[in-house]
């Protein structure tokens, strides 16, 4: 009976070792799956961070461009205002066009679109390019809209 008991004991020991090996293999498999999930999560987080950084850079670029355009527009507007003021002063001083003529000076615009394209609109009575045909409401300001 000792040999049967030894055989049973050996079989039980072998079965326990196989069960332990199986548990360890399952634990290793689960650990690898968890590591894979974490790696995928890290990859997704890095991709999101990259997209966010690109969006932020684009927003910054767009803001800088809008600021640059606003400054350019303001400069053009300021230059236009200054130039128009110089023209009005010259007109009142007797230079740069006749203030009594409804035809303005030597500039001629066939329509308001042309005057706007030249940066001259609106045109005021007495300025070069003003003419009654461009002043719809007769208030002395042509191409005002």
């Amino acid at each position: 009976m000792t040999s049967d008991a030894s055989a049973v004991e050996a079989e039980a020991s072998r079965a326990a070792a196989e069960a332990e090996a199986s548990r360890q293999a399952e634990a290793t498999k689960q650990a690898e799956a968890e590591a894979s999930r974490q790696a995928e999560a890290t990859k997704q987080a890095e991709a999101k961070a990259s997209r966010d950084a690109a969006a932020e850079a684009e927003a910054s670029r767009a803001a800088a461009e809008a600021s640059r355009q606003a400054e350019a527009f303001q400069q053009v507007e300021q230059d236009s205002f200054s130039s128009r003021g110089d023209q009005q002063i010259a007109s009142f001083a007797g230079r740069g066009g006749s203030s009594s003529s409804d035809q303005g000076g030597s500039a001629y615009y066939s329509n308001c679109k042309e005057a706007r394209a030249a940066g001259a609109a609106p045109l005021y009575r007495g300025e070069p390019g003003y003419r009654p045909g461009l002043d719809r409401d007769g208030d002395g300001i042509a191409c005002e809209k």
Side-chain angles (χ1 to χ4, degrees):
M1 277 211 207
T2 356
S3 95
D4 283 339
S6 286
V8 169
E9 196 175 298
E11 182 63 27
S13 179
R14 187 185 62 74
E18 285 179 4
E20 181 60 27
S22 177
R23 279 190 295 271
Q24 286 179 354
E26 183 62 29
T28 300
K29 184 177 175 183
Q30 286 178 356
E32 289 172 351
E34 179 61 25
S36 177
R37 281 191 295 273
Q38 287 179 353
E40 183 62 28
T42 300
K43 183 178 174 183
Q44 288 178 356
E46 288 172 351
K48 183 182 182 308
S50 178
R51 286 190 307 271
D52 290 350
E56 187 176 328
E58 177 60 23
S60 177
R61 187 204 60 77
E65 177 64 16
S67 176
R68 186 195 63 75
Q69 286 179 352
E71 287 175 11
F73 177 76
Q74 189 175 24
Q75 184 63 43
V76 166
E77 202 172 59
Q78 189 176 26
D79 291 349
S80 175
F81 181 74
S82 175
S83 173
R84 190 159 285 129
D86 291 347
Q87 288 174 356
Q88 287 178 339
I89 291 170
S91 176
F92 289 120
R95 298 181 310 240
S98 170
S99 61
S100 63
S101 168
D102 279 347
Q103 295 301 319
S106 60
Y108 178 81
Y109 303 104
S110 61
N111 55 43
C112 287
K113 183 177 180 181
E114 197 175 290
R116 284 187 198 95
L123 297 164
Y124 298 93
R125 184 177 289 128
E127 283 187 350
Y130 174 87
R131 60 187 178 88
L134 298 176
D135 187 359
R136 290 183 180 185
D137 55 351
D139 66 351
I141 305 171
C143 305
E144 56 195 305
K145 287 189 179 180

